[in-house]
Amino acid sequence: MSTNAAEPTREEIDQSTGPVLLEFGASWCGHCQALAPQLANVLASHPEIRHIKVEDASGKRLGRSFGVTLWPTLIFLRDGQILKTAVRPQLDEVREGVGILTKEG
């Protein structure tokens, strides 16, 4: 049972509407800490993207359901469908994923 009530279930993610960015990571992860300000900067100009930050750990079901093995892992979705997955992404990969999410149709 999840102690973090804010963490969505896989079913909720699959049923989500519109653009969603799932970010899997850990607060102590150096790669996650390095990406955080860059990601925030890119997302600042895209308020239409719902950003869900998931504190992941071994055995967490949501991360495992998406095959997360390294942090940070970004999952770009629209209407519950995965459009792009980026593992330990560089800034250009983040921008590419956001670009995919913000395209109409």
Side-chain angles (χ1 to χ4, degrees):
M1 190 165 172
S2 177
T3 55
N4 181 359
E7 183 177 303
T9 64
R10 178 64 193 250
E11 184 179 17
E12 289 170 334
I13 296 299
D14 290 344
Q15 294 175 358
S16 66
T17 57
V20 174
L21 171 57
L22 274 180
E23 175 188 357
F24 290 93
S27 57
W28 51 264
C29 167
H31 295 283
C32 303
Q33 293 168 356
L35 179 66
Q38 296 175 40
L39 182 58
N41 190 37
V42 171
L43 290 175
S45 56
H46 296 284
E48 72 279 14
I49 297 174
R50 183 174 165 213
H51 179 212
I52 302 171
K53 195 168 183 172
V54 179
E55 186 76 16
D56 197 32
S58 178
K60 287 275 210 151
R61 287 187 184 162
L62 187 59
R64 290 182 64 187
S65 78
F66 282 101
V68 173
T69 57
L70 292 172
W71 300 321
T73 293
L74 305 181
I75 312 282
F76 298 87
L77 306 107
R78 177 179 290 285
D79 299 328
Q81 301 299 309
I82 298 172
L83 303 178
K84 178 176 176 59
T85 299
V87 180
R88 289 197 180 160
Q90 297 299 313
L91 187 56
D92 60 337
E93 287 181 277
V94 172
R95 288 186 179 127
E96 179 186 335
V98 167
I100 291 168
L101 282 184
T102 57
K103 284 182 185 169
E104 291 300 319

XYZ file of all heavy atoms in Angstrom:
803
model
N 0.844 -1.192 0.000
C 0.000 0.000 0.000
C 0.880 1.244 0.000
O 1.838 1.340 0.748
C -0.892 -0.031 1.239
C -1.961 0.994 1.239
S -3.135 0.505 2.519
C -4.149 1.900 2.550
N 0.542 2.166 -0.849
C 1.345 3.374 -0.995
C 1.103 4.325 0.175
O -0.029 4.550 0.576
C 0.995 4.066 -2.309
O 1.705 5.263 -2.425
N 2.192 4.876 0.693
C 2.059 5.859 1.764
C 1.931 7.267 1.194
O 1.569 8.186 1.888
C 3.272 5.810 2.718
O 4.453 5.987 1.954
C 3.323 4.483 3.448
N 2.254 7.416 -0.099
C 2.163 8.725 -0.751
C 0.839 8.802 -1.501
O 0.697 8.271 -2.589
C 3.344 8.914 -1.712
C 3.325 10.252 -2.410
O 2.407 11.046 -2.191
N 4.303 10.500 -3.236
N -0.138 9.452 -0.910
C -1.476 9.528 -1.506
C -1.465 10.267 -2.837
O -2.348 10.067 -3.657
C -2.432 10.210 -0.531
N -0.469 11.110 -3.060
C -0.408 11.885 -4.296
C 0.064 11.043 -5.480
O -0.114 11.426 -6.616
C 0.508 13.079 -4.113
N 0.681 9.888 -5.208
C 1.184 9.061 -6.299
C 0.031 8.355 -7.000
O -0.738 7.635 -6.370
C 2.174 8.032 -5.767
C 2.786 7.187 -6.870
C 3.823 6.227 -6.343
O 4.782 6.688 -5.704
O 3.672 5.019 -6.574
N -0.098 8.572 -8.291
C -1.205 7.954 -9.017
C -0.964 6.459 -9.236
O 0.161 5.984 -9.151
C -1.201 8.699 -10.351
C 0.220 9.106 -10.534
C 0.757 9.378 -9.149
N -2.018 5.756 -9.550
C -1.904 4.350 -9.908
C -1.659 4.242 -11.407
O -1.881 5.205 -12.155
C -3.196 3.583 -9.568
O -4.262 4.102 -10.378
C -3.552 3.717 -8.089
N -1.248 3.078 -11.873
C -1.048 2.883 -13.309
C -2.376 3.062 -14.042
O -2.423 3.640 -15.130
C -0.449 1.487 -13.568
C -0.248 1.153 -15.046
C 0.781 2.101 -15.678
N 0.780 2.005 -17.127
C 1.756 1.469 -17.846
N 2.824 0.966 -17.259
N 1.679 1.448 -19.159
N -3.455 2.591 -13.434
C -4.778 2.745 -14.045
C -5.125 4.223 -14.233
O -5.634 4.618 -15.285
C -5.836 2.050 -13.189
C -7.222 2.085 -13.793
C -8.276 1.375 -12.952
O -8.027 1.125 -11.760
O -9.347 1.096 -13.497
N -4.837 5.042 -13.217
C -5.110 6.477 -13.324
C -4.276 7.112 -14.439
O -4.769 7.959 -15.188
C -4.822 7.177 -11.989
C -5.841 6.846 -10.921
C -5.438 7.336 -9.530
O -4.226 7.495 -9.254
O -6.346 7.542 -8.724
N -3.021 6.688 -14.560
C -2.164 7.213 -15.625
C -2.704 6.798 -16.983
O -2.809 7.609 -17.911
C -0.707 6.730 -15.458
C -0.097 7.270 -14.165
C 0.140 7.113 -16.670
C -0.011 8.768 -14.063
N -3.070 5.528 -17.112
C -3.587 5.023 -18.387
C -4.873 5.732 -18.803
O -5.168 5.834 -19.983
C -3.827 3.514 -18.314
C -2.526 2.717 -18.239
O -1.452 3.275 -18.539
O -2.592 1.523 -17.882
N -5.632 6.223 -17.838
C -6.900 6.898 -18.121
C -6.765 8.419 -18.158
O -7.753 9.121 -18.349
C -7.956 6.494 -17.083
C -8.332 5.034 -17.156
C -9.296 4.609 -16.059
O -9.665 5.408 -15.190
N -9.691 3.358 -16.089
N -5.550 8.935 -17.982
C -5.353 10.388 -17.966
C -5.650 10.978 -19.342
O -5.556 10.306 -20.363
C -3.926 10.720 -17.535
O -2.998 10.257 -18.497
N -6.011 12.245 -19.332
C -6.279 12.938 -20.593
C -5.305 14.095 -20.742
O -4.852 14.681 -19.757
C -7.723 13.472 -20.650
O -7.935 14.337 -19.542
C -8.729 12.336 -20.604
N -4.989 14.404 -21.992
C -4.074 15.505 -22.266
C -2.632 15.101 -22.068
O -2.312 13.941 -21.824
N -1.729 16.093 -22.166
C -0.305 15.819 -22.041
C 0.129 15.647 -20.583
O -0.218 16.452 -19.724
C 0.350 17.055 -22.668
C -0.646 18.146 -22.497
C -2.002 17.489 -22.517
N 0.866 14.581 -20.332
C 1.355 14.275 -18.981
C 2.831 13.915 -19.076
O 3.242 13.169 -19.964
C 0.572 13.094 -18.354
C 1.178 12.690 -17.009
C -0.896 13.441 -18.181
N 3.612 14.448 -18.153
C 5.011 14.061 -18.021
C 5.178 13.382 -16.672
O 4.986 14.008 -15.626
C 5.937 15.274 -18.117
C 7.408 15.013 -17.776
C 8.008 13.925 -18.645
C 8.209 16.285 -17.876
N 5.506 12.096 -16.701
C 5.813 11.365 -15.475
C 7.319 11.409 -15.292
O 8.072 11.080 -16.212
C 5.411 9.892 -15.615
C 4.009 9.473 -15.303
C 3.867 7.964 -15.509
C 3.619 9.830 -13.892
N 7.742 11.821 -14.113
C 9.176 11.878 -13.807
C 9.444 10.931 -12.649
O 8.952 11.138 -11.542
C 9.583 13.304 -13.418
C 11.022 13.410 -12.983
C 11.388 14.781 -12.419
O 10.531 15.681 -12.414
O 12.529 14.930 -11.969
N 10.214 9.876 -12.923
C 10.592 8.929 -11.879
C 12.003 9.249 -11.421
O 12.899 9.425 -12.244
C 10.550 7.491 -12.417
C 9.166 6.997 -12.687
C 8.613 7.121 -13.944
C 8.412 6.420 -11.677
C 7.326 6.667 -14.206
C 7.123 5.971 -11.928
C 6.582 6.089 -13.191
N 12.192 9.320 -10.107
C 13.506 9.605 -9.567
C 13.502 9.467 -8.058
O 12.581 8.902 -7.470
N 14.539 9.979 -7.452
C 14.668 9.965 -5.989
C 15.295 11.285 -5.556
O 16.133 11.839 -6.266
C 15.536 8.793 -5.542
N 14.878 11.770 -4.407
C 15.341 13.080 -3.935
C 16.857 13.122 -3.734
O 17.472 14.165 -3.888
C 14.629 13.455 -2.635
O 14.842 12.458 -1.657
N 17.457 11.985 -3.431
C 18.899 11.939 -3.182
C 19.719 11.642 -4.440
O 20.940 11.610 -4.391
C 19.205 10.883 -2.113
C 18.579 9.556 -2.410
C 17.393 9.085 -1.930
C 19.076 8.537 -3.283
N 17.123 7.844 -2.449
C 18.142 7.481 -3.283
C 20.216 8.422 -4.077
C 18.325 6.325 -4.037
C 20.388 7.257 -4.824
C 19.450 6.231 -4.790
N 19.056 11.406 -5.574
C 19.726 11.031 -6.827
C 20.413 12.248 -7.458
O 19.752 13.234 -7.791
C 18.693 10.430 -7.774
S 19.240 10.263 -9.479
N 21.714 12.159 -7.639
C 22.467 13.268 -8.228
C 22.037 13.605 -9.649
O 21.965 14.774 -10.025
N 21.743 12.582 -10.449
C 21.284 12.817 -11.822
C 19.948 13.564 -11.811
O 19.708 14.441 -12.643
C 21.134 11.492 -12.577
C 22.411 10.757 -12.782
N 23.341 11.119 -13.735
C 22.930 9.681 -12.149
C 24.372 10.297 -13.674
N 24.141 9.413 -12.725
N 19.079 13.187 -10.865
C 17.762 13.837 -10.743
C 17.918 15.294 -10.326
O 17.249 16.181 -10.865
C 16.893 13.096 -9.719
S 16.649 11.352 -10.094
N 18.810 15.528 -9.364
C 19.051 16.888 -8.876
C 19.609 17.770 -9.986
O 19.258 18.941 -10.089
C 20.006 16.859 -7.688
C 19.409 16.199 -6.464
C 20.445 15.905 -5.387
O 21.634 16.127 -5.562
N 19.980 15.378 -4.263
N 20.466 17.197 -10.838
C 21.062 17.968 -11.933
C 20.014 18.318 -12.989
O 20.048 19.404 -13.570
C 22.202 17.175 -12.572
N 19.073 17.411 -13.233
C 18.056 17.649 -14.254
C 16.961 18.600 -13.785
O 16.403 19.346 -14.587
C 17.422 16.314 -14.675
C 16.318 16.407 -15.721
C 16.876 16.895 -17.058
C 15.610 15.072 -15.885
N 16.665 18.598 -12.490
C 15.504 19.318 -11.949
C 15.382 20.775 -12.407
O 14.327 21.165 -12.913
C 15.475 19.216 -10.432
N 16.412 21.617 -12.275
C 16.233 23.013 -12.690
C 16.043 23.165 -14.199
O 15.282 24.030 -14.644
C 17.515 23.710 -12.216
C 18.505 22.630 -11.975
C 17.713 21.383 -11.658
N 16.703 22.321 -14.986
C 16.548 22.383 -16.441
C 15.132 21.975 -16.845
O 14.506 22.616 -17.691
C 17.558 21.461 -17.116
C 19.000 21.860 -16.879
C 19.957 20.836 -17.464
O 19.744 20.314 -18.545
N 21.019 20.545 -16.730
N 14.634 20.926 -16.213
C 13.288 20.450 -16.501
C 12.255 21.506 -16.099
O 11.333 21.805 -16.859
C 13.025 19.135 -15.765
C 11.678 18.475 -15.994
C 11.450 18.170 -17.461
C 11.574 17.204 -15.162
N 12.429 22.088 -14.938
C 11.511 23.134 -14.469
C 11.496 24.312 -15.429
O 10.439 24.877 -15.730
C 11.910 23.589 -13.065
N 12.673 24.669 -15.939
C 12.789 25.785 -16.877
C 12.025 25.498 -18.173
O 11.302 26.356 -18.676
C 14.271 26.050 -17.164
C 14.480 27.330 -17.935
O 13.789 28.317 -17.728
N 15.441 27.302 -18.840
N 12.174 24.299 -18.705
C 11.476 23.928 -19.941
C 9.964 23.885 -19.703
O 9.180 24.397 -20.507
C 11.980 22.560 -20.469
C 11.113 22.073 -21.614
C 13.439 22.663 -20.913
N 9.548 23.296 -18.593
C 8.118 23.155 -18.315
C 7.443 24.479 -17.952
O 6.226 24.602 -18.091
C 7.891 22.133 -17.194
C 8.185 20.677 -17.561
C 8.040 19.789 -16.339
C 7.302 20.199 -18.701
N 8.217 25.458 -17.521
C 7.643 26.750 -17.115
C 6.837 27.394 -18.237
O 5.838 28.071 -17.982
C 8.744 27.693 -16.647
N 7.242 27.170 -19.468
C 6.523 27.775 -20.591
C 5.471 26.832 -21.190
O 4.929 27.107 -22.251
C 7.513 28.222 -21.663
O 8.310 27.138 -22.082
N 5.196 25.739 -20.487
C 4.193 24.769 -20.965
C 3.256 24.347 -19.831
O 3.256 23.193 -19.413
C 4.878 23.537 -21.574
C 5.663 23.863 -22.789
N 5.074 24.111 -24.010
C 7.001 24.016 -22.976
C 6.018 24.385 -24.889
N 7.188 24.349 -24.289
N 2.439 25.286 -19.346
C 1.544 24.964 -18.221
C 0.483 23.918 -18.582
O -0.135 23.346 -17.685
C 0.900 26.304 -17.876
C 1.005 27.108 -19.138
C 2.280 26.657 -19.801
N 0.301 23.654 -19.879
C -0.695 22.664 -20.291
C -0.231 21.225 -20.013
O -1.036 20.290 -20.032
C -1.022 22.820 -21.785
C 0.054 22.365 -22.753
C 1.197 23.364 -23.003
O 1.350 24.350 -22.253
O 1.945 23.148 -23.968
N 1.059 21.046 -19.737
C 1.592 19.712 -19.447
C 1.478 19.437 -17.951
O 1.997 20.185 -17.129
C 3.066 19.587 -19.899
C 3.168 19.763 -21.413
C 3.638 18.237 -19.464
C 4.597 19.791 -21.933
N 0.790 18.371 -17.619
C 0.670 17.948 -16.218
C 1.938 17.184 -15.854
O 2.252 16.145 -16.432
C -0.558 17.049 -16.052
C -0.806 16.618 -14.645
C -2.125 15.866 -14.550
N -2.192 15.152 -13.293
C -2.792 13.992 -13.124
N -3.432 13.418 -14.121
N -2.795 13.401 -11.946
N 2.706 17.718 -14.904
C 3.978 17.122 -14.483
C 3.746 16.367 -13.179
O 3.347 16.955 -12.179
C 5.022 18.236 -14.294
C 6.350 17.734 -13.829
N 7.166 18.478 -13.014
C 7.018 16.577 -14.057
C 8.275 17.797 -12.765
N 8.201 16.643 -13.392
N 3.988 15.069 -13.216
C 3.819 14.237 -12.022
C 5.178 13.682 -11.652
O 5.779 12.911 -12.395
C 2.831 13.074 -12.272
C 1.475 13.622 -12.711
C 2.700 12.213 -11.024
C 0.510 12.556 -13.189
N 5.670 14.121 -10.501
C 6.972 13.671 -10.015
C 6.742 12.506 -9.067
O 5.994 12.631 -8.094
C 7.679 14.835 -9.309
C 9.133 14.612 -9.098
C 9.812 15.898 -8.681
C 11.290 15.666 -8.535
N 12.027 16.885 -8.319
N 7.362 11.379 -9.368
C 7.172 10.169 -8.577
C 8.478 9.810 -7.887
O 9.492 9.570 -8.546
C 6.700 8.992 -9.463
C 6.537 7.731 -8.628
C 5.404 9.345 -10.175
N 8.447 9.787 -6.561
C 9.596 9.348 -5.772
C 9.628 7.827 -5.881
O 8.774 7.130 -5.344
C 9.428 9.804 -4.309
C 10.615 9.535 -3.428
C 11.788 10.494 -3.621
O 11.613 11.572 -4.229
O 12.883 10.153 -3.147
N 10.587 7.334 -6.639
C 10.649 5.916 -6.964
C 11.600 5.197 -6.020
O 12.465 5.806 -5.408
C 11.113 5.759 -8.418
C 10.822 4.388 -8.992
O 9.810 3.773 -8.597
O 11.597 3.934 -9.841
N 11.428 3.896 -5.917
C 12.315 3.056 -5.115
C 12.137 1.621 -5.574
O 11.156 1.283 -6.230
C 11.985 3.185 -3.630
N 13.071 0.797 -5.207
C 12.991 -0.618 -5.549
C 11.679 -1.189 -5.027
O 11.302 -0.958 -3.879
C 14.173 -1.356 -4.913
O 14.085 -2.724 -5.192
N 10.980 -1.898 -5.884
C 9.731 -2.518 -5.476
C 8.505 -1.636 -5.623
O 7.390 -2.085 -5.363
N 8.678 -0.390 -6.032
C 7.518 0.477 -6.241
C 6.813 0.045 -7.511
O 7.422 -0.051 -8.566
C 7.953 1.946 -6.358
C 8.393 2.558 -5.057
C 7.187 3.071 -4.311
C 7.590 4.266 -3.468
N 6.531 5.184 -3.274
N 5.536 -0.210 -7.426
C 4.790 -0.771 -8.551
C 4.698 0.143 -9.760
O 4.811 -0.327 -10.884
C 3.375 -1.138 -8.102
C 3.349 -2.346 -7.229
C 1.924 -2.760 -6.955
N 1.936 -3.872 -6.020
C 0.888 -4.235 -5.322
N -0.247 -3.591 -5.444
N 0.958 -5.261 -4.507
N 4.462 1.430 -9.558
C 4.267 2.316 -10.700
C 5.517 2.375 -11.571
O 5.446 2.208 -12.782
C 3.855 3.720 -10.249
C 3.458 4.676 -11.372
C 2.279 4.126 -12.179
C 3.119 6.043 -10.817
N 6.664 2.573 -10.962
C 7.914 2.606 -11.717
C 8.180 1.288 -12.424
O 8.588 1.258 -13.584
N 7.938 0.199 -11.732
C 8.164 -1.117 -12.338
C 7.223 -1.341 -13.516
O 7.603 -1.959 -14.509
C 7.994 -2.215 -11.289
C 9.147 -2.189 -10.274
C 9.047 -3.274 -9.255
N 9.171 -4.579 -9.923
C 8.992 -5.738 -9.301
N 8.669 -5.759 -8.033
N 9.130 -6.870 -9.945
N 5.992 -0.824 -13.425
C 5.029 -1.019 -14.517
C 5.467 -0.302 -15.789
O 5.056 -0.669 -16.884
C 3.627 -0.570 -14.097
O 3.501 0.837 -14.130
N 6.326 0.703 -15.636
C 6.862 1.427 -16.792
C 8.281 0.966 -17.137
O 8.928 1.546 -17.998
C 6.863 2.940 -16.531
C 5.510 3.580 -16.683
C 4.746 3.885 -15.567
C 4.991 3.873 -17.937
C 3.489 4.467 -15.691
C 3.744 4.454 -18.078
C 2.995 4.751 -16.957
N 8.785 -0.039 -16.436
C 10.115 -0.561 -16.724
C 11.247 0.343 -16.295
O 12.338 0.285 -16.855
N 11.017 1.171 -15.285
C 12.041 2.104 -14.820
C 13.167 1.336 -14.125
O 12.919 0.557 -13.209
C 11.435 3.144 -13.847
C 12.522 4.007 -13.236
C 10.408 3.999 -14.569
N 14.399 1.555 -14.602
C 15.569 0.933 -13.971
C 16.629 1.960 -13.589
O 17.486 1.675 -12.768
C 16.210 -0.126 -14.893
O 16.554 0.488 -16.133
C 15.248 -1.280 -15.142
N 16.606 3.133 -14.217
C 17.559 4.201 -13.902
C 16.798 5.500 -13.680
O 15.734 5.706 -14.255
C 18.554 4.402 -15.053
C 19.555 3.279 -15.325
C 20.324 3.571 -16.614
C 20.514 3.113 -14.172
N 17.380 6.374 -12.879
C 16.772 7.680 -12.614
C 17.651 8.777 -13.195
O 18.859 8.625 -13.228
C 16.627 7.907 -11.126
C 15.778 6.925 -10.421
C 14.609 6.353 -10.844
C 16.012 6.392 -9.123
N 14.120 5.502 -9.898
C 14.960 5.510 -8.824
C 17.016 6.562 -8.175
C 14.882 4.810 -7.625
C 16.936 5.875 -6.988
C 15.873 5.006 -6.722
N 17.075 9.881 -13.559
C 15.637 10.043 -13.756
C 15.173 9.370 -15.050
O 15.931 9.275 -16.014
C 15.453 11.554 -13.843
C 16.765 12.066 -14.366
C 17.817 11.117 -13.848
N 13.952 8.904 -15.024
C 13.296 8.410 -16.225
C 12.068 9.272 -16.440
O 11.263 9.439 -15.525
C 12.889 6.930 -16.098
O 14.083 6.130 -16.041
C 12.055 6.481 -17.294
N 11.955 9.835 -17.640
C 10.812 10.664 -17.995
C 9.940 9.889 -18.975
O 10.448 9.336 -19.956
C 11.264 11.969 -18.650
C 12.250 12.835 -17.865
C 12.577 14.101 -18.648
C 11.711 13.180 -16.500
N 8.648 9.852 -18.698
C 7.682 9.205 -19.575
C 6.742 10.306 -20.070
O 6.056 10.940 -19.275
C 6.860 8.122 -18.842
C 7.746 7.180 -18.015
C 5.956 7.383 -19.829
C 8.469 6.132 -18.767
N 6.732 10.535 -21.373
C 5.886 11.548 -21.993
C 4.635 10.854 -22.527
O 4.743 9.963 -23.375
C 6.640 12.245 -23.132
C 7.876 12.981 -22.692
C 9.098 12.327 -22.595
C 7.818 14.322 -22.363
C 10.239 13.002 -22.185
C 8.959 15.012 -21.958
C 10.174 14.356 -21.862
N 3.455 11.248 -22.021
C 2.206 10.606 -22.408
C 1.174 11.617 -22.880
O 1.179 12.765 -22.427
C 1.587 9.867 -21.211
C 2.433 8.848 -20.474
C 2.863 9.397 -19.135
C 1.649 7.578 -20.277
N 0.312 11.173 -23.765
C -0.863 11.953 -24.135
C -2.034 10.996 -24.104
O -2.006 9.943 -24.725
C -0.729 12.570 -25.520
C -2.010 13.332 -25.932
C -1.919 13.985 -27.287
N -0.991 15.113 -27.295
C -1.259 16.311 -26.760
N -2.401 16.550 -26.167
N -0.373 17.289 -26.827
N -3.060 11.369 -23.348
C -4.264 10.551 -23.198
C -3.920 9.116 -22.808
O -4.484 8.154 -23.326
C -5.105 10.588 -24.484
C -5.559 12.008 -24.814
O -5.774 12.801 -23.881
O -5.696 12.324 -26.006
N -2.967 8.974 -21.892
C -2.604 7.669 -21.362
C -1.693 6.834 -22.244
O -1.290 5.743 -21.865
N -1.329 7.347 -23.415
C -0.475 6.614 -24.354
C 0.959 7.144 -24.272
O 1.181 8.354 -24.352
C -0.991 6.754 -25.788
C -2.403 6.246 -25.989
C -2.532 4.767 -25.678
O -1.779 3.942 -26.176
N -3.489 4.436 -24.828
N 1.919 6.237 -24.155
C 3.325 6.635 -24.091
C 3.784 7.084 -25.477
O 3.671 6.352 -26.448
C 4.215 5.470 -23.600
C 3.811 5.063 -22.184
C 5.688 5.868 -23.654
C 4.487 3.796 -21.687
N 4.289 8.304 -25.547
C 4.808 8.848 -26.798
C 6.329 8.784 -26.844
O 6.920 8.674 -27.909
C 4.353 10.298 -26.988
C 2.841 10.538 -26.975
C 2.548 12.020 -27.133
C 2.152 9.734 -28.067
N 6.957 8.904 -25.667
C 8.422 8.898 -25.601
C 8.850 8.572 -24.182
O 8.193 8.964 -23.226
C 8.971 10.271 -26.008
C 10.499 10.386 -25.938
C 10.976 11.731 -26.440
C 12.470 11.913 -26.290
N 13.270 10.921 -27.001
N 9.944 7.845 -24.080
C 10.578 7.569 -22.796
C 12.008 8.061 -22.892
O 12.688 7.812 -23.893
C 10.564 6.058 -22.489
O 9.209 5.612 -22.420
C 11.245 5.756 -21.162
N 12.458 8.773 -21.875
C 13.829 9.276 -21.856
C 14.473 8.890 -20.524
O 13.967 9.233 -19.465
C 13.849 10.787 -22.036
N 15.576 8.160 -20.601
C 16.287 7.703 -19.414
C 17.555 8.524 -19.246
O 18.365 8.622 -20.167
C 16.633 6.199 -19.528
C 17.377 5.721 -18.294
C 15.360 5.376 -19.744
N 17.703 9.124 -18.065
C 18.821 10.042 -17.800
C 19.020 10.996 -18.974
O 20.107 11.088 -19.551
C 20.104 9.283 -17.483
C 20.040 8.610 -16.143
C 21.387 8.208 -15.633
N 21.212 7.563 -14.329
C 22.104 6.764 -13.776
N 23.236 6.516 -14.379
N 21.858 6.235 -12.604
N 17.946 11.726 -19.317
C 17.975 12.532 -20.537
C 18.861 13.763 -20.446
O 19.050 14.340 -19.384
C 16.517 12.948 -20.694
C 16.009 13.022 -19.288
C 16.696 11.887 -18.576
N 19.365 14.127 -21.610
C 20.032 15.408 -21.771
C 18.928 16.426 -22.059
O 17.793 16.069 -22.392
C 21.032 15.351 -22.929
C 22.160 14.363 -22.709
C 23.002 14.691 -21.494
O 23.408 15.838 -21.292
N 23.266 13.697 -20.669
N 19.269 17.704 -21.989
C 18.287 18.769 -22.170
C 17.593 18.687 -23.533
O 16.388 18.917 -23.633
C 18.942 20.136 -21.968
C 18.015 21.339 -21.956
C 16.912 21.188 -20.907
C 18.812 22.609 -21.705
N 18.329 18.323 -24.586
C 17.713 18.236 -25.904
C 16.633 17.147 -25.960
O 15.618 17.298 -26.638
C 18.754 18.041 -27.013
C 19.587 16.785 -26.851
O 19.706 16.267 -25.731
O 20.147 16.314 -27.861
N 16.826 16.044 -25.223
C 15.813 14.990 -25.166
C 14.559 15.465 -24.434
O 13.444 15.105 -24.806
C 16.355 13.751 -24.462
C 17.355 12.950 -25.250
C 17.815 11.742 -24.465
O 18.732 11.908 -23.631
O 17.256 10.655 -24.664
N 14.764 16.264 -23.392
C 13.628 16.833 -22.656
C 12.833 17.739 -23.587
O 11.604 17.636 -23.673
C 14.101 17.612 -21.408
C 12.936 18.348 -20.762
C 14.779 16.680 -20.412
N 13.532 18.610 -24.298
C 12.858 19.527 -25.232
C 12.123 18.750 -26.328
O 11.026 19.118 -26.720
C 13.866 20.489 -25.850
C 14.354 21.535 -24.867
C 15.241 22.561 -25.558
N 15.677 23.575 -24.630
C 16.952 23.912 -24.451
N 17.906 23.322 -25.135
N 17.275 24.849 -23.581
N 12.741 17.676 -26.820
C 12.104 16.858 -27.854
C 10.809 16.239 -27.317
O 9.774 16.261 -27.983
C 13.057 15.752 -28.306
C 12.459 14.832 -29.360
C 13.365 13.653 -29.685
O 14.597 13.743 -29.501
O 12.825 12.624 -30.128
N 10.860 15.697 -26.103
C 9.669 15.102 -25.493
C 8.564 16.124 -25.282
O 7.382 15.858 -25.567
N 8.919 17.305 -24.808
C 7.942 18.375 -24.610
C 7.346 18.789 -25.953
O 6.152 19.015 -26.084
C 8.575 19.565 -23.857
C 7.683 20.800 -23.922
C 8.841 19.185 -22.406
N 8.204 18.842 -26.982
C 7.734 19.172 -28.318
C 6.699 18.170 -28.828
O 5.684 18.530 -29.415
N 6.961 16.900 -28.581
C 6.014 15.846 -28.973
C 4.690 16.022 -28.230
O 3.615 15.901 -28.813
C 6.614 14.446 -28.694
C 7.775 14.172 -29.668
C 5.556 13.356 -28.817
C 8.608 12.951 -29.301
N 4.778 16.334 -26.940
C 3.565 16.499 -26.125
C 2.733 17.702 -26.550
O 1.522 17.684 -26.432
C 3.917 16.662 -24.646
C 4.290 15.416 -23.876
C 4.515 15.767 -22.405
C 3.240 14.327 -23.994
N 3.385 18.743 -27.014
C 2.666 19.985 -27.303
C 2.168 20.065 -28.737
O 1.453 20.999 -29.081
C 3.539 21.211 -26.980
O 4.755 21.133 -27.709
C 3.827 21.300 -25.492
N 2.515 19.081 -29.567
C 1.981 19.043 -30.934
C 0.522 18.645 -30.890
O 0.140 17.753 -30.133
C 2.745 18.015 -31.792
C 4.089 18.484 -32.222
C 4.763 17.442 -33.097
C 6.178 17.880 -33.417
N 6.937 16.806 -34.036
N -0.270 19.301 -31.678
C -1.701 18.957 -31.754
C -1.875 17.719 -32.621
O -1.209 17.567 -33.629
C -2.502 20.117 -32.333
C -2.580 21.313 -31.407
C -3.246 20.994 -30.071
O -4.244 20.273 -30.067
O -2.745 21.486 -29.042
N -2.798 16.849 -32.179
C -3.078 15.642 -32.964
C -2.029 14.660 -32.686
O -1.746 13.678 -33.078
